[in-house]
Every structure is written in C-alpha cells, then in structure tokens.
Amino acid sequence: QVQLVESGGGLVQAGGSLRLSCAASGRTLSSYAMGWFRQAPGKEREFVASITITADFGSTSYADSVKGRFTISITNAKNTVYLQMNSLKPEDTAVYYCAARATSATTWTYWGQGTRVTVSS
C-alpha cells in the first residue's frame, strides 16, 4: 500500500500562487507515476498534472488549462511531489487530490484525501 497525504491548500486571491505538497509513504514503487487531479463543486474530477519516474527517465504532463501556470516536481528522495500553482484563477477553485500508480497500471491506484484550494476574484 502507498499512503498519500496532501497539504498546502488554502484561500488565495486571483493572480496569486500556492504550492501543494503530497507526501508518499509505504510501499516503494520502482517505476511509477504521481499526479494531481482536482474536482470543482458540481463537476467531475479532472486531471491536472502528472510526473512519471523510471530508473533513468522522468516526464511530466499537464492539462491544457494549467500549462504555463502550474509546475509539478518531485524531491530527490522521490517521496514528496509538489504542484506549484501560479497566476491562479477563480476557475482553479477545487479540491486537489494527489494520486499514484505503478507505470504498469492502467488506472490510478492510490489517492490522498484532498486539499481545498479557493481562489477569490
């Protein structure tokens, strides 16, 4: 099992920045992906960003709506993933969830409890 704990959410004005953290513990995956998803009130959960880590390669992916504003990164120890969110907009308001899966998995297997981000206009 992998446990994921998010932190860093809060209230921010439009144009501001926040950094979300996701601390992972438990089972170690040799090749895996970690991602951020969000769910706004009344909407389905949507993909935000992901980072894929293999033995000698790492790649990132972003939703079009956050490209150029959000950056996903991971610590050298590979146990904490961050989502740096800049130029925040009211439409970024949502509960943000961290997720993880082995690269061989087709679905996201592990989920955190979520952290709320509210962007005021």
Side-chain angles (χ1 to χ4, degrees):
Q1 289 292 326
V2 175
Q3 291 78 43
L4 303 173
V5 179
E6 303 100 330
S7 61
L11 173 64
V12 63
Q13 288 189 332
S17 299
L18 278 177
R19 189 178 78 159
L20 305 184
S21 300
C22 174
S25 61
R27 178 186 173 193
T28 301
L29 302 174
S30 58
S31 297
Y32 59 96
M34 295 189 73
W36 288 96
F37 293 75
R38 66 186 182 186
Q39 187 167 19
K43 295 187 177 180
E44 293 186 354
R45 187 155 52 187
E46 64 176 4
F47 169 79
V48 175
S50 67
I51 184 166
T52 301
I53 303 294
T54 59
D56 55 3
F57 183 73
S59 65
T60 57
S61 180
Y62 297 92
D64 288 344
S65 59
V66 307
K67 279 181 182 176
R69 300 189 298 123
F70 291 11
T71 302
I72 189 170
S73 61
I74 196 165
T75 58
N76 288 337
K78 297 182 174 58
N79 58 355
T80 301
V81 64
Y82 300 102
L83 184 69
Q84 178 66 43
M85 305 186 296
N86 299 328
S87 302
L88 283 162
K89 304 175 181 179
E91 50 263 45
D92 294 318
T93 294
V95 177
Y96 284 71
Y97 297 90
C98 178
R101 62 174 176 82
T103 52
S104 58
T106 56
T107 59
W108 293 89
T109 310
Y110 307 102
W111 292 87
Q113 81 289 350
T115 185
R116 185 174 302 274
V117 172
T118 303
V119 184
S120 63
S121 57

